[in-house]
Amino acid sequence: MTGGGLKLLNNGLRLSGLIVLVHVSMSWGGHALADQFHYNNVLVGTRAVGMGGAFGGVADDASGLYYNPGGLAFALSNDIQGSANAFYDKTTTYKQTLGTTDFSESSSGSLTPFFGGLQKLDRYVEGLSVAFGVFYVDGDLKDQDTTIEGKQISTTKIDRYHRTSNARAGTYYAGAAVGYRPLPNLGFGFGLTYHNADELVQEFQFAKQSVTLAGSNNTTVPGWSTLSSNVRQHLSVYGVQPVFGAQAALPMGFTVGLTLKKTMIATQTLESTSEVTQTYATDAQNTNGASTTVKSPVSNTVNIATLKSKKPVGSAPFESRLGLAWFANTRLLLAFDVMYIGAVTDADTSIDPVKVRAPYAKEAVTNFALGSEYFITPSLPLRVGVFTNNDARPKVATGTHNAAAGQTCSNLDYYKKYCGQPDHIDYYGGSLFIAWVQPNSQISAGVTVQQGTGKAEKLGDDKVQDVKSKQYSFAFSATHNL
Amino acid sequence: MWFHPRHVALLLALVGVTLACTPKAQQPTEPAGPKLSAEQQKALDDYRQEIEVGRNMAGRLLGYYGIIEDEKVLGYVNQVGNYVASYSDAPERRYMFAILKHESVNAFACPGGYILITMGALRNAKNEAELASILGHEVAHVGKRHMYDALKKMKEKELEDAAKSKTVGGPMQDALVPRARPEPDTSSTGSRLAEYLTGKGGIGLNVLAAAQAGMNLMTGKGLDKSVEFEADQEGVRYAIRAGYEPKALLTYLKRLEDQSDKKVKNLEKTHPAMADRRKHIAELLKTMKAEDIIGASGEERFTKVKKAFPKFERE
């Protein structure tokens, strides 16, 4: 028997679960790497990180470049500070995705979220301060290796599924800001930062399943089918972000701050190359009387695709932050921030495999943060905060899946609504940090925890899974007052 | 930016080195010697803290006003000051005298023996006896622990409020006052935390907050009138013991009283009225029958040094 005489029975659909998993993993919506869909990045600033990012009404240190440049004008002293996110760990679990089995993705690593300095210039102009800073608002480092063997998915048994997923992604800003108080109780600030977002994903998937192959003369032989894919995609965005801030000191120790920013993207590119190979093979001997044993492969299909886009993410959203703080006394500070980030509607749809969805489109998002700083002793401030970190991607819609009524993913109208949807995970979290303050310096250490719940349509087959995600970030930072 | 684990280790090491290099307040080293009783140890710790508070206050004042570095003038003031101090009620203490580069008339007695006199106060003196009386007044403040006791009597809240109410460079702007945080301790965190957790001792005198509060007290409302009168009388007594002319401080204060210059009159913001001070001093002199005491004025020596007084433009 020759290889060309063999055909996969049932048109190859018996690998549907894994085929779709491979397919969806290739689609852009399946990757939330640098997590640019969650805006509340609380790991910037020694004090701010402990207060859950509720710092828009305070912002009187170098991190004011990020939270509110208007706060720089209220700084009490010069400072230089740096943060080291010593370790973070993130696990996202998709419930009952592979049959009754959960599917998990995890990543961990370390990065330094912030380094900056502030210089008061009162000796030249009363109420004038300048600050510089480099801050990493998003970061991900994934090195995942998953193997599943002998798993029943619906009516199909998988012999072997193997996936390696490697990604590194980061979004950072670097720049400077100036704060000035024209009136004793009113400060304004303006900053300009250079912006870069970079995501690189390399993913390999392989699936193998036992099948029955059609041989010559209406005979059948046992064999197997394999599907493998290699994907590499690279997103690169450059721009500048002007930021304007204002802060006012109110009676009784209250302050209020407003921050407005919008990244002006100069260049953005996305390149992707994918290679998918499907193979049918058998170990069965020739059944037509010949003595030769036929070895695989007996059939190969290779599909290589390249996608390029010069506007994958579209325009950057408009961001605003309203902060309120109460300096109750020298020991206690309470702060509350509300953040509103606008929608992005002009992202490119052509990079979607079916070209119906813009993977980087974003909806408007509102987040909240509540934080407190309390000095247990003059050298031991305890900082705690709670915050939300909502997803900018649209909520996942659940389809009805009625093949008889044409309600399947092969129906384009149905697909647009219910298939190939990106995840939607809303997070809430808390932070707890303790610092050790000395006359000219302080070190701070603690943890932020984020817990997310949401929905996903991981297999692209209009079946929606519950998703749970947890992220721990153990951070360490140091500040030196000059 | 992603780091290899060794980069993280390097970063942490750098932070550690930075912190290690951060200047810390000097902690007195334990001298070798006989074991002290609990009471003696407590007194020693208290004295060390007094010195630390005073040193911190003096540093802030010197930093703000500037210092006269003329060795001849500075040496002379230290010579006279230490001579008078040796006849005080606390001759065992160590005193350090410095001259502030300022033309206002004032002098500051920081706890622990750091005594600062302005150039304006020096310029208004006519002889060594007057200088000795002025320095005697400040020596009495130190020896009687007027400032240090006042700070110790303050409750923690009052101390913090006093510390943030004003700085030497002028009052902190109202908009910034709420942002002031507690002045941190320089003691080890472990012992502080243990103290807090066990409730033993609670939060003691915060050296830096006390220093700032004391400085603000000195440059603000001043000490109680009663201790100023006491310092006047004690200062005169020390000067007389040292052999100086008894009425020197009376003469000096009368000279200031007769001036309308605000550089002089500002002294009354932190001290009782000159007339009241003179009245208290006169009562002492009467009690001591000072009329019968013949003291030295040291005018010739003072005049020679006065020629070396630096001139500068600062009020």
Side-chain angles (χ1 to χ4, degrees), chain B residues 172-229:
Chain B
M172 182 184 285
Q173 292 192 1
D174 291 343
L176 301 182
V177 167
R179 294 175 189 258
R181 302 287 91 188
E183 289 286 349
D185 302 326
T186 53
S187 57
S188 81
T189 299
S191 63
R192 300 292 298 172
L193 185 59
E195 273 187 0
Y196 180 80
L197 293 175
T198 58
K200 293 176 181 174
I203 298 167
L205 184 63
N206 180 334
V207 170
L208 294 181
Q212 192 162 354
M215 188 181 64
N216 292 340
L217 196 60
M218 262 191 316
T219 58
K221 68 175 185 178
L223 292 166
D224 282 350
K225 286 183 179 181
S226 60
V227 298
E228 291 295 346
F229 293 141

Side-chain angles (χ1 to χ4, degrees), chain A residues 356-380:
Chain A
V356 297
R357 224 173 240 115
Y360 289 98
K362 301 175 183 78
E363 295 185 338
V365 166
T366 303
N367 282 313
F368 303 93
L370 178 67
S372 169
E373 177 184 62
Y374 179 72
F375 281 76
I376 300 171
T377 77
S379 285
L380 281 178

Side-chain angles (χ1 to χ4, degrees), chain A residues 54-399:
Chain A
F55 215 59
V58 185
D60 53 7
D61 60 27
S63 68
L65 171 62
Y66 174 73
Y67 290 101
N68 185 350
L72 300 174
F74 289 89
L76 294 179
S77 62
N78 305 326
D79 70 72
I80 185 162
Q81 57 179 273
S83 308
N85 182 5
F87 178 76
Y88 86 92
D89 184 82
K90 179 181 180 180
T91 301
T92 304
T93 302
Y94 299 84
K95 297 289 184 182
Q96 299 186 339
T97 302
L98 301 175
T100 57
T101 305
D102 297 345
F103 181 78
S104 294
E105 285 187 304
S106 61
S107 59
S108 61
S110 63
L111 75 163
T112 174
F114 181 68
F115 176 75
L118 181 146
Q119 176 71 49
K120 286 169 67 66
L121 298 175
D122 290 287
R123 69 176 64 182
Y124 303 112
V125 179
E126 181 77 25
L128 182 68
S129 296
V130 294
F132 73 92
V134 180
F135 42 95
Y136 292 79
V137 296
D138 279 318
D140 203 354
L141 185 61
K142 188 162 70 173
D143 181 10
Q144 185 159 1
D145 191 335
T146 306
T147 301
I148 299 171
E149 292 185 319
K151 180 66 63 181
Q152 188 78 28
I153 300 178
S154 186
T155 58
T156 303
K157 184 179 180 184
I158 309 162
D159 293 338
R160 180 179 173 80
Y161 171 70
H162 183 207
R163 177 189 185 221
T164 59
S165 180
N166 299 92
R168 62 150 178 79
T171 302
Y172 82 90
Y173 296 83
V178 57
Y180 174 60
R181 267 188 303 130
L183 298 173
N185 295 332
L186 184 63
F188 295 101
F190 177 77
L192 192 64
T193 55
Y194 167 78
H195 164 66
N196 172 236
D198 193 274
E199 297 180 6
L200 177 63
V201 181
Q202 294 183 106
E203 193 164 282
F204 166 77
Q205 293 186 90
F206 171 82
K208 178 187 172 190
Q209 178 191 19
S210 296
V211 295
T212 301
L213 300 174
S216 304
N217 303 323
N218 294 324
T219 59
T220 60
V221 293
W224 67 88
S225 172
T226 65
L227 182 68
S228 61
S229 79
N230 266 308
V231 178
R232 181 187 187 276
Q233 66 185 50
H234 186 202
L235 171 69
S236 192
V237 180
Y238 296 92
V240 293
Q241 184 188 67
V243 51
F244 169 81
Q247 200 176 93
L250 307 174
M252 299 175 63
F254 284 94
T255 61
V256 61
L258 176 67
T259 311
L260 304 172
K261 53 172 96 165
K262 179 173 171 61
T263 301
M264 320 294 280
I265 295 177
T267 65
Q268 53 177 302
T269 58
L270 187 143
E271 293 182 358
S272 171
T273 302
S274 64
E275 178 182 306
V276 180
T277 303
Q278 189 165 19
T279 299
Y280 310 126
T282 179
D283 276 337
Q285 288 189 344
N286 191 317
T287 57
N288 289 334
S291 59
T292 306
T293 298
V294 179
K295 293 291 185 182
S296 61
V298 294
S299 176
N300 253 343
T301 304
V302 180
N303 182 15
I304 299 174
T306 300
L307 281 173
K308 284 188 179 180
S309 172
K310 290 191 174 180
K311 199 179 180 185
V313 300
S315 305
F318 172 80
E319 302 176 43
S320 60
R321 175 188 291 264
L322 182 65
L324 180 67
W326 181 39
F327 295 86
N329 51 54
T330 54
R331 293 192 162 218
L332 178 63
L333 165 64
L334 297 173
F336 174 74
D337 278 18
V338 55
M339 296 143 275
Y340 174 82
I341 299 94
V344 175
T345 58
D346 59 348
D348 193 357
T349 58
S350 69
I351 54 178
D352 180 46
V354 196
K355 303 191 188 324
V356 297
R357 224 173 240 115
Y360 289 98
K362 301 175 183 78
E363 295 185 338
V365 166
T366 303
N367 282 313
F368 303 93
L370 178 67
S372 169
E373 177 184 62
Y374 179 72
F375 281 76
I376 300 171
T377 77
S379 285
L380 281 178
L382 179 71
R383 299 177 182 121
V384 296
V386 291
F387 56 87
T388 66
N389 195 5
N390 292 320
D391 204 325
R393 291 169 294 191
K395 288 192 179 298
V396 177
T398 304

Side-chain angles (χ1 to χ4, degrees), chain B residues 52 57 74 101 141 143 153-154 162 182 241 245 250 293 302:
Chain B
E52 201 167 339
M57 288 171 64
L74 190 59
K101 197 174 182 180
H141 274 317
K153 284 176 187 171
M154 283 187 181
R241 281 184 198 163
E245 203 275 313
L250 273 180
I293 301 172
F302 184 83

